[in-house]
């Protein structure tokens, strides 16, 4: 059941992006379920090189802070419009400001059949009334044919979702997504313990559980799952990912030297098979580790590798570039 729900979400979003006309999609989900939405968007971004994704996951606390977070998430070469003083920002003014930002992103698209997917998917909505006023204003904004707008609403207290669900326009869509984390983890455990599963499915479930263990600081469990996944995985990409995640667990457990050695191996293996998402993960992690250990030149090389591998994702590329440039400064 959990896998079916994730597959349905992926199918929905892929179809939304590929549709020939512009549209606004409002997805209602709980805070704990936003991660699945963000993961699906990241997968589509990776698998859709012709389209450009601008996803903002920052929590919504107030309008001025949220607009600043959105502006700072833009590519470095785009200069956002100046914000009005915080005291005069209204949801309607904020909606116009966002439309102006997206117009800049649309102008930056290359010629040809390319789409811009803008997703406002806050991991938390601290002020649902104001956020609903902002997103409701965006429902009726005229949109460029190349724009696909995704808005998140809180499933527990839906506002914009209800407006979208009753909107007569065929360009405004609504979808309710629900996948409690406990059910998803239970499904992963079932997959990881099912010896009849294909090796890569088995390994992938183990790695997802390892990530869950790492999040809860169960480092020994994470390391054991990564070791088993590396043994079971049939593809070099999953094998290198298992090594990279194990290096993460080693670092968080305080074994920096072992993490350094394994992180280097993981990065080399991922680069050898052009597993770019794993290269980005491994290079950023190794860059952080080598920087903290004082290995400046290696850290610069790692951040440079992450920057190149994340060329399709401006947010990550900008982060890696900023880390590299900071290390290259003479004061460093």
């Amino acid at each position: 059941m959990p896998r079916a729900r994730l597959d349905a979400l992926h199918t929905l979003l892929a179809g939304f992006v590929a549709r020939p006309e512009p549209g606004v999609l409002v997805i209602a989900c709980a805070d704990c379920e936003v991660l699945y939405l963000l993961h699906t968007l990241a997968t589509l971004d990776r698998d859709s090189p012709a389209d450009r994704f601008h996803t903002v996951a920052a929590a919504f606390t107030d309008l001025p802070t949220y607009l600043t977070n959105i502006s700072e998430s833009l590519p470095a070469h785009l200069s956002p419009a100046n914000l009005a003083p915080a005291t005069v920002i209204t949801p309607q003014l904020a909606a116009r400001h966002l439309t102006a930002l997206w117009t800049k992103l649309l102008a930056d698209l290359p010629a040809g059949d390319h789409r811009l997917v803008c997703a406002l998917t806050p991991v938390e909505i601290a002020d649902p009334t104001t956020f609903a006023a902002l997103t409701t204003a965006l429902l009726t904004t005229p949109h460029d044919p190349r724009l696909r707008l995704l808005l998140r609403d809180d499933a527990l207290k839906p506002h914009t979702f209800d407006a979208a669900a009753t909107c007569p326009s065929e360009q405004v869509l609504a979808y309710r997504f629900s996948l409690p984390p406990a059910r998803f983890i239970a499904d992963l455990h079932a997959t990881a313990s099912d010896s009849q599963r294909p090796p890569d499915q088995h390994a992938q479930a183990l790695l997802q559980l390892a990530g869950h263990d790492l999040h809860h600081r169960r480092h020994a469990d994470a390391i054991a799952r990564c070791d088993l996944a590396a043994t079971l995985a049939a593809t070099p990409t999953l094998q290198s990912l298992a090594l990279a995640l194990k290096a993460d667990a080693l670092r968080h457990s305080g074994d920096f030297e072992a993490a350094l050695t394994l992180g280097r191996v993981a990065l080399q293996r991922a680069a050898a098979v052009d597993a770019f998402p794993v290269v980005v993960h491994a290079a950023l992690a190794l860059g952080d580790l080598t920087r903290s250990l004082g290995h400046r030149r290696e850290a610069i090389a790692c951040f440079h590798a992450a920057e190149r591998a994340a060329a399709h994702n401006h947010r990550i590329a900008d982060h890696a570039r900023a880390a590299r440039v900071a290390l290259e400064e003479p004061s460093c």
Side-chain angles (χ1 to χ4, degrees), residues 55-238:
T55 301
V56 181
F60 182 87
T61 53
D62 58 75
L63 272 175
T65 302
Y66 194 62
L67 292 182
T68 298
N69 288 335
I70 292 175
S71 297
E72 291 177 348
S73 71
L74 291 170
H77 65 282
L78 292 180
S79 300
N82 292 328
L83 288 171
T87 54
V88 300
I89 294 180
T90 64
Q92 291 71 28
L93 181 61
R96 290 196 295 271
H97 178 77
L98 291 178
T99 301
L101 293 185
W102 294 330
T103 299
K104 289 178 178 292
L105 289 174
L106 286 164
D108 196 50
L109 283 177
D113 186 20
H114 302 279
R115 299 175 181 87
L116 173 66
V117 183
C118 292
L120 302 185
T121 53
V123 294
E124 180 185 359
I125 303 174
D127 183 354
T129 301
T130 303
F131 187 70
L134 168 64
T135 51
T136 301
L138 292 170
L139 291 181
T140 57
T141 301
H143 295 298
D144 186 286
R146 299 166 294 171
L147 180 64
R148 309 290 179 269
L149 180 58
L150 175 65
L151 305 172
R152 187 233 158 174
D153 198 1
D154 190 340
L156 300 178
K157 298 179 180 179
H159 292 80
T160 312
F161 175 84
D162 292 337
T166 57
C167 181
S169 173
E170 294 183 355
Q171 294 185 6
V172 179
L173 309 172
Y175 182 77
R176 188 182 292 274
F177 176 75
S178 176
L179 180 53
R183 180 176 295 180
F184 183 64
I185 295 300
D187 183 66
L188 287 178
H189 277 290
T191 301
S193 60
D194 185 356
S195 60
Q196 301 303 312
R197 295 272 185 169
D200 278 355
Q201 281 189 19
H202 200 170
Q204 192 167 22
L206 284 166
L207 292 178
Q208 287 177 287
L209 287 173
H212 184 67
D213 288 333
L214 186 57
H215 177 73
H216 291 278
R217 300 181 180 179
R218 297 191 292 263
H219 303 131
D221 290 340
I223 291 170
R225 294 191 201 278
C226 289
D227 283 338
L228 182 55
T231 301
L232 292 171
T235 59
T237 296
L238 276 179

Side-chain angles (χ1 to χ4, degrees), residues 12-43:
L12 171 78
L13 292 181
F16 176 66
V17 174
R19 57 183 279 160
E21 62 276 347
V24 182
L25 171 61
V26 179
I27 293 186
C29 64
D31 288 351
C32 61
E33 295 160 343
V34 177
L35 178 62
Y36 306 126
L37 179 57
L38 294 173
H39 175 74
T40 304
L41 287 169
T43 300

